[in-house]
Amino acid sequence: MALAREDINFENIKREADVETLVKNMVQTNNMIAHLKDEQFEMFSEIKRQEETISMLEDDVQLLEKEKRWNMFWHNHLDDNIDKTQIVLAIVFSINILFTYFMSR
């Protein structure tokens, strides 16, 4: 009754409390949104770094494949040269044996 005599309106107090609660909730929500945006930016940056790493690894794989092809080419080329050298040495050895045979007679 004392409150009624002083013209205190409970509805106004309630509205002010509701507004204050809403403002607090909005501030918390804005802080949470800012935090989530920061996390989103960090995740985006991490994804970008991972994509760059993947791109570099793909480039490395391509270079290794080229190097492998060159190594195979040189390996085959050397095998051909070794085969030819062995044939030439076999012919020279045969000629040497024939020459030695005819010289000894």
Side-chain angles (χ1 to χ4, degrees):
M1 292 231 213
L3 295 175
R5 278 186 249 144
E6 294 180 15
D7 292 331
I8 295 177
N9 189 348
F10 288 110
E11 290 298 318
N12 287 341
I13 293 172
K14 185 178 176 187
R15 272 191 224 115
E16 287 176 13
D18 288 345
V19 168
E20 188 175 319
T21 304
L22 285 173
V23 169
K24 285 181 183 178
N25 285 340
M26 287 176 60
V27 168
Q28 289 176 348
T29 303
N30 286 340
N31 289 340
M32 184 59 76
I33 289 171
H35 177 70
L36 291 174
K37 283 184 179 181
D38 290 343
E39 284 186 9
Q40 182 183 21
F41 180 76
E42 289 174 10
M43 291 173 74
F44 177 76
S45 297
E46 180 65 26
I47 289 170
K48 192 172 182 177
R49 281 192 299 271
Q50 289 178 353
E51 287 175 350
E52 289 172 356
T53 302
I54 289 170
S55 175
M56 289 172 44
L57 290 173
E58 287 173 345
D59 292 344
D60 289 347
V61 166
Q62 288 177 352
L63 288 174
L64 288 172
E65 287 175 352
K66 284 182 182 179
E67 186 176 330
K68 180 182 175 185
R69 276 183 264 159
W70 274 105
N71 286 341
M72 291 294 289
F73 170 75
W74 283 109
H75 180 73
N76 291 339
H77 185 69
L78 289 174
D79 284 345
D80 291 343
N81 285 343
I82 290 170
D83 292 341
K84 290 176 184 176
T85 303
Q86 287 175 342
I87 292 170
V88 168
L89 288 175
I91 292 171
V92 169
F93 181 70
S94 299
I95 291 171
N96 191 15
I97 290 175
L98 289 174
F99 181 74
T100 305
Y101 175 73
F102 288 119
M103 289 300 286
S104 64
R105 286 192 138 199

